[in-house]
Amino acid sequence: MMEHRKEQRTGRGRRVSRPLYFASACVALGCAWGAWPADATSSWTAIGPEGGRVAALVADPVDPQVVYAVTGSAGVFKSSDGGASWRQASRGLTDSELVALAVDQVVPGTLYAASSFGVFVSRDGAATWMPAEPFSLWQDEFPQSLASDPARAGTVYAATFDGVWVSNDAGASWTQTLGLGGVIRLVSDPARSSVFALSGRLGSLRLFESADGGATWKDRSASLPKLTYGDLTFGFAVEPAAPGILYIALTHVDFDSGTKVLQTLRSSDGAASWQAAGTGSEPVAASAGGLVVAGGFKSSDHGASWQPVGELPDAVAAYAIAAGGSKVYAGGATRGVLASADGARSWQVMSKGLTATSVLALAVDPFASDPHSPAWLYAAVENLGLLRSRNGGSRWRPLDTGLEAPTRNDFYALAAHPAAPGNLYYFSHAVLESSTDAGASWTQLGKPHCVTIDALSPDPSAPAVLYAAGSLNCGQGCGGAFKSTDRAASWSCLGVAAYQIAVAPSAPATLYALAPSPPSGNFLYRSTDSGRTWVPLEVPRRLARGAAARYGHLAVAVDPWNAARLYVGGPTGVWMSQDGGESWSRKDHGLPHGVAAPLLAIDPHQPLTLYAAAAEVGVFRSRDGGDSWQPIRDGLPDASDVYTTLAVDPGHPGSLYLAIAGSGIYSFSSP
């Protein structure tokens, strides 16, 4: 199960702007996808990196080769070959945070998925999804767990923090039948033709069972141990072919000593009594053949004896056991799906096609890319570190450099130098490092004092020149913009507050800085002398109001052939200037309105071709300098997280890359 509350990912603590020298990015946004006409026949293709966080796994109750993985931001993935390969199975899932998945125990191919938008249903084995009931049903308490009735077609149960709801028509309508507070786990028991609801709250457990489609519930809590612990987390599983064999895997903390206690409880009589059965904790799963996995332990004899599982190459959030017990699956925290074919004694990563990695920054090496060879890509991946692909994303390899892996709560920046092949800059965990050999080795650099870097902007005409923009951590009488002319050995203050600097590729002495909007309303500045002096630019009032309301929700892109031509995107639209920001015209016909700034990119081969992207809206293209826009969204996941980078490949005309925090990287090639 995944946590049902959504994380806020905007503001100063969330950095997603990752520019190349001709493209800028800013914090992405969320809004509903509209009905715009398609622009091209080409579609987006997921190119990895493979893996990511798998929060829940559900094995088909009949077919041992079918298993589903719930990744949250990237939606649902399905394997039909025992985990050997995966394909995305989220078409129609319009929410970016799934919390639960259940397979109908009676009707083959029917599944239910829960999110903060409500419950979705699929009747074709997760090929497509349709909303079953809007989230307003839950009265602000979103579903946290799902289960289908093992004896009644179309009967599905959903648990919120207020209790259990039941639908007898495949999710079209719901009735609350059990008032029960706390975290609730729902589990179907085919051997008893019933459904259990286990609730944990304030260090206590309560268990209920319904055998009549949720019409009535029997309290099975009397025999549960009386816990005097807090910080309770737990998992719950039943053996599907053994009536009355249940497992509760607990992690709780002793109030007196503060000791963390791991415990597995087992009942062989339908919860009439419970016995301590081991020290395994959640997650837990059980098979019809008596194989049980709980935390770091397993049992092959219905919980009578326990042994440690084989060494796992990743932290595990979920288990599932294939029908018949032929294979055990584990949902990893970073590497996707792990699988064992020998009863959890040994494990291997099986994430081919599962692209749920959280890519926080992406860079294209412009000089390592040319029309006759694949693009070289670099990706900063949450909890995995820096990865590199030398073939346009077909294969990814970690750069084993000892660099700290980025996290979503950290500040990070990644840039490839447009004037020096193989030269990279990477900022994470308050450390700035550079590489001159395409990431094979790294050297720690000095960074501006008291600055947390949001964006790095190399000068395309001078390999030794680098600009850094960010936020100050101490008062030193300087803004957040700095410049180095000696490969970051020393830095000078540029005297302007900025969280991003865009260098004009055709005239590198011309810079544009996006700054926090002060009371005067100036948030855009221009320098024509490499940052020595700055001029505040007047912008349309609507754009200024949007900038003041949403700090950081802006993007700027400079025409690669004309330093005076630039675009700025904000909550009130996209605007273009042809005179260095002295005057502006609106350029967003066909773009959705009322949203935060999109990512912006300009094709260096065709400067009138622009791209704009925003999470849950998709990607748009303009081929007339912003006069009109059309969506190019085919192939992108319906359920998606923050868009972090939009980059045009300077060595391959028409090639575009989109990095998503939670859904990997997608590539697009214009027809």
Side-chain angles (χ1 to χ4, degrees):
M1 185 200 77
M2 294 175 55
E3 172 61 46
H4 84 296
R5 294 178 176 87
K6 290 193 173 184
E7 176 189 357
Q8 291 295 111
R9 297 190 177 96
T10 58
R12 293 295 294 166
R14 181 74 176 96
R15 293 290 176 265
V16 296
S17 177
R18 299 294 175 263
L20 294 178
Y21 69 92
F22 53 83
S24 298
C26 196
V27 192
L29 50 137
C31 78
W33 169 253
W36 291 277
D39 180 43
T41 57
S42 297
S43 64
W44 292 87
T45 301
I47 60 172
E50 294 171 336
R53 181 176 181 267
V54 173
L57 288 164
V58 178
D60 189 277
V62 177
D63 190 341
Q65 294 296 306
V66 175
V67 62
Y68 302 91
V70 178
T71 64
S73 299
V76 177
F77 287 81
K78 178 181 180 179
S79 176
S80 300
D81 52 13
S85 64
W86 297 83
R87 61 175 177 82
Q88 197 168 61
S90 302
R91 184 178 179 186
L93 290 174
T94 55
D95 192 15
S96 62
E97 293 293 345
L98 296 182
V99 295
L101 183 74
V103 178
D104 196 297
Q105 303 282 318
V106 181
V107 183
T110 297
L111 296 93
Y112 307 95
S115 75
S116 58
F117 280 3
V119 175
F120 293 79
V121 61
S122 172
R123 293 180 173 85
D124 51 14
T128 59
W129 295 85
M130 293 291 292
E133 178 70 18
F135 71 92
S136 58
L137 164 74
W138 311 107
Q139 300 174 351
D140 297 327
E141 288 293 341
F142 307 132
Q144 54 173 298
S145 181
L146 291 175
S148 69
D149 195 282
R152 296 167 178 82
T155 296
V156 59
Y157 302 73
T160 71
F161 279 79
D162 279 342
V164 179
W165 299 65
V166 179
S167 172
N168 296 310
D169 50 15
S173 61
W174 296 82
T175 302
Q176 186 174 10
T177 63
L178 178 63
L180 187 65
V183 176
I184 302 173
R185 302 284 190 267
L186 296 172
V187 175
S188 299
D189 190 343
R192 292 169 65 91
S193 297
S194 65
V195 171
F196 284 95
L198 178 65
S199 169
R201 188 175 189 181
L202 300 177
S204 64
L205 295 170
R206 297 184 68 189
L207 181 64
F208 292 82
E209 181 183 15
S210 176
D212 56 8
T216 60
W217 294 85
K218 295 183 179 179
D219 193 337
R220 305 292 191 189
S221 307
S223 62
L224 285 171
K226 306 302 181 184
L227 303 176
T228 57
Y229 304 99
D231 297 330
L232 173 67
T233 59
F234 60 94
F236 186 35
V238 304
E239 289 196 20
I245 299 184
L246 299 85
Y247 300 90
I248 300 175
L250 302 169
T251 299
H252 41 96
V253 178
D254 189 304
F255 273 140
D256 297 326
S257 66
T259 303
K260 181 180 289 187
V261 179
L262 310 179
Q263 186 178 23
T264 302
L265 304 175
R266 177 182 182 272
S267 174
S268 59
D269 50 17
S273 62
W274 293 87
Q275 299 80 39
T279 57
S281 61
E282 77 288 349
V284 59
S287 74
L291 176 63
V292 188
V293 185
F297 293 86
K298 67 183 183 71
S299 172
S300 300
D301 52 11
H302 305 276
S305 61
W306 296 82
Q307 303 82 37
V309 301
E311 183 178 356
L312 286 156
D314 198 358
V316 172
Y319 284 120
I321 303 178
S326 58
K327 187 172 289 187
V328 183
Y329 300 95
T334 59
R335 303 189 66 183
V337 175
L338 318 173
S340 173
D342 56 8
R345 288 190 292 272
S346 62
W347 300 86
Q348 60 179 319
V349 178
M350 299 188 72
S351 297
K352 182 180 179 181
L354 195 154
T355 52
T357 46
S358 186
V359 180
L360 304 178
L362 172 69
V364 183
D365 193 328
F367 278 74
S369 304
D370 63 71
H372 305 291
S373 64
W376 282 36
L377 308 175
Y378 304 90
V381 183
E382 182 180 12
N383 298 323
L384 287 179
L386 282 179
L387 306 180
R388 180 182 64 193
S389 174
R390 293 182 175 181
N391 50 16
S394 296
R395 293 187 306 276
W396 292 88
R397 296 290 184 268
L399 296 175
D400 189 13
T401 60
L403 297 178
E404 292 284 348
T407 66
R408 294 200 191 194
N409 295 324
D410 189 30
F411 292 81
Y412 44 84
L414 176 66
H417 204 303
N423 277 242
L424 306 172
Y425 295 97
Y426 175 61
F427 176 80
S428 181
H429 295 271
V431 175
L432 177 63
E433 306 202 41
S434 72
S435 173
T436 59
D437 52 13
S441 62
W442 293 81
T443 301
Q444 185 169 332
L445 305 175
K447 74 176 186 67
H449 181 60
C450 288
V451 173
T452 298
I453 297 175
D454 292 333
L456 294 165
S457 304
D459 186 323
S461 66
V465 176
L466 178 66
Y467 297 92
S471 56
L472 291 175
N473 302 322
C474 61
Q476 61 174 31
C478 183
F482 290 80
K483 177 182 180 180
S484 174
T485 59
D486 52 11
R487 299 183 186 273
S490 61
W491 294 86
S492 60
C493 175
L494 294 181
V496 63
Y499 57 85
Q500 184 179 324
I501 295 175
V503 184
S506 62
T510 299
L511 313 175
Y512 296 93
L514 286 174
S517 180
S520 64
N522 295 120
F523 65 86
L524 183 63
Y525 293 80
R526 183 188 68 225
S527 172
T528 56
D529 54 10
S530 301
R532 287 188 292 273
T533 60
W534 294 87
V535 176
L537 298 176
E538 294 292 334
V539 297
R541 289 185 178 181
R542 292 190 63 184
L543 185 55
R545 287 198 301 268
R550 299 183 178 185
Y551 161 67
H553 284 225
L554 295 172
V556 59
V558 184
D559 189 311
W561 302 106
N562 184 352
R565 185 183 178 94
L566 69 153
Y567 296 83
V568 173
T572 55
V574 175
W575 302 76
M576 184 265 285
S577 174
Q578 298 195 77
D579 52 13
E582 298 296 332
S583 61
W584 297 86
S585 58
R586 193 162 186 172
K587 294 288 184 178
D588 53 14
H589 179 71
L591 288 177
H593 293 278
V595 298
L599 306 180
L600 293 176
I602 302 175
D603 191 325
H605 308 281
Q606 302 174 356
L608 291 181
T609 298
L610 316 176
Y611 298 93
E616 298 184 19
V617 174
V619 181
F620 289 75
R621 177 172 59 191
S622 172
R623 286 173 163 161
D624 52 17
D627 288 337
S628 61
W629 296 81
Q630 299 79 36
I632 49 172
R633 194 176 188 276
D634 187 33
L636 289 178
D638 287 336
S640 61
D641 206 338
V642 175
Y643 289 2
T644 59
T645 308
L646 180 67
V648 182
D649 188 340
H652 297 79
S655 292
L656 187 68
Y657 299 96
L658 176 67
I660 306 176
S663 299
I665 300 171
Y666 283 75
S667 67
F668 179 89
S669 294
S670 297

